[in-house]
Amino acid sequence: MSPEKAPEIAKGEKIYEGKAKVLYKGTEEGTLIQYFKDDATAFNAQKKGTIAGKGIVNNKVTELVMKHLERIGIPTHFIKRLSDREQLVREVEIIPLEVIVRNTVAGTMAKRLGIEEGRRLERPLIEFSLKDDDLGDPLIAEEHILSLDLADEEELSEIFDMTHQINDFLRGLFAGVGIELIDFKLEYGRLYDEDELGYRLILADEFSPDNCRLWDMETGKKLDKDRFRRDLGGEVEAYQEVARRLGITL
Ligand code: CDP
C-alpha cells in the first residue's frame, strides 16, 4: 500500500469535514472533491480511532462500485478518481435520509428487535433513518418522509426501485468473491437536469466497508467496520482483503 501522501490535487475551499471524509469545492462549477480519511468512528462518534490505509481502500472500492452501478443504469454522483484518496463527484442536494438495506439481521436491527444476528430475511428490507448526527440518526417510517416532505412520493418510489436494483447487483458482485453482503447504507441526492427542467435522483456518498457489513461466506469472518466497532482487531487487513478480492490494487 502506498504511504499517505500530501494531497496534490487542485481543490477549492473546504466545505465540510465529516467523520470519514472531507469535501472540497472542485475546480469546475457543480463539482466537489471527496477526500477519504483514515479516521474511524462508531456509536455516533463516541468511539474514535484510525484504520491505516482505510481512506485508500474506501476511495477505490467506492470507485469500483459506482462504476459498476453506472454500467447497470444507476445514475451516480461519481465522475472520476483523482488520486489514492480523492475522487471528483457532482455536487447534489443531499436528501437527509440514510437508506439502509438489510439481507440478514445484524447490528441495531438485531438489538432493537431481539433477533439473533445472522438470521436471513425472507426478503430484503429497506429502512430509513433521518440523517441527523445530533439525534443519532433516528429510524423513521415512509410516512414520516412524506409527511415531513423529506422526499415526495415519486422520489420515494424511485429510491425503493433503485435501492433494490443496487442490492441485487451488489449481492451478486460480492458473492462472486466469496463475500455475503449482510447490510449497507446509501444516500441519495437531487441534481438539476436542464434537459428535463427538473430534479433527478442520483446515488451519492460512498460505498465501502465503512458502511456495509461483509461476511466471508465460508468462515463467517467479518470484513467490515464491525472489526473496529467491536474491537475484533485486524481491521486494516480486513479492509485490504475486501479490496484484494475485488481485484483492486492498493
Ligand atoms: O451499524 P449500526 O449497528 O450502528 O447500525 P445498523 O442500522 O445496523 O447499520 C446497518 C448498516 O448501515 C451497516 O452496514 C452500517 O455500517 C450502515 N450504517 C452507516 O453506514 N451509517 C450509519 N449512520 C448507520 C448505518
Side-chain angles (χ1 to χ4, degrees), residues 49-68:
T50 57
I51 301 174
K54 168 173 88 76
I56 301 174
V57 172
N58 288 0
N59 187 22
K60 293 188 176 183
V61 171
T62 297
E63 174 192 19
L64 180 137
V65 167
M66 295 288 180
K67 281 181 172 169
H68 272 302

Side-chain angles (χ1 to χ4, degrees), residues 209-222:
D210 264 9
N211 32 50
C212 64
R213 287 193 169 91
L214 301 170
W215 294 357
D216 180 89
M217 277 180 162
E218 270 183 18
T219 62
K221 184 179 173 189
K222 295 182 187 356

Side-chain angles (χ1 to χ4, degrees), residues 98 100 102 106-108 137 183 185 210-213 229:
E98 309 225 318
I100 292 175
R102 300 180 186 277
T108 54
D137 302 330
D183 58 26
K185 187 259 305 186
D210 264 9
N211 32 50
C212 64
R213 287 193 169 91
R229 286 191 194 98

Side-chain angles (χ1 to χ4, degrees), residues 19 42-44 98-102 105-112 117 127 129-131 133 136-137 139 181-187 205-206 208-214 224-226 229-230:
K19 290 172 272 192
F43 314 117
N44 206 18
E98 309 225 318
V99 180
I100 292 175
V101 186
R102 300 180 186 277
V105 177
T108 54
M109 181 180 183
K111 240 188 240 155
R112 193 186 312 122
E117 279 205 318
E127 287 179 346
S129 26
L130 181 68
K131 200 169 138 58
D133 283 344
D137 302 330
L139 188 68
L181 179 59
I182 302 298
D183 58 26
F184 57 97
K185 187 259 305 186
L186 300 175
E187 292 183 22
D205 196 44
E206 64 172 292
S208 73
D210 264 9
N211 32 50
C212 64
R213 287 193 169 91
L214 301 170
D224 55 62
K225 207 168 94 176
D226 272 347
R229 286 191 194 98
R230 302 178 184 189

Side-chain angles (χ1 to χ4, degrees), residues 114-130:
I115 304 171
E116 209 179 314
E117 279 205 318
R119 175 162 143 195
R120 284 263 183 119
L121 291 163
E122 278 307 309
R123 44 179 242 175
L125 171 67
I126 299 182
E127 287 179 346
F128 299 96
S129 26
L130 181 68

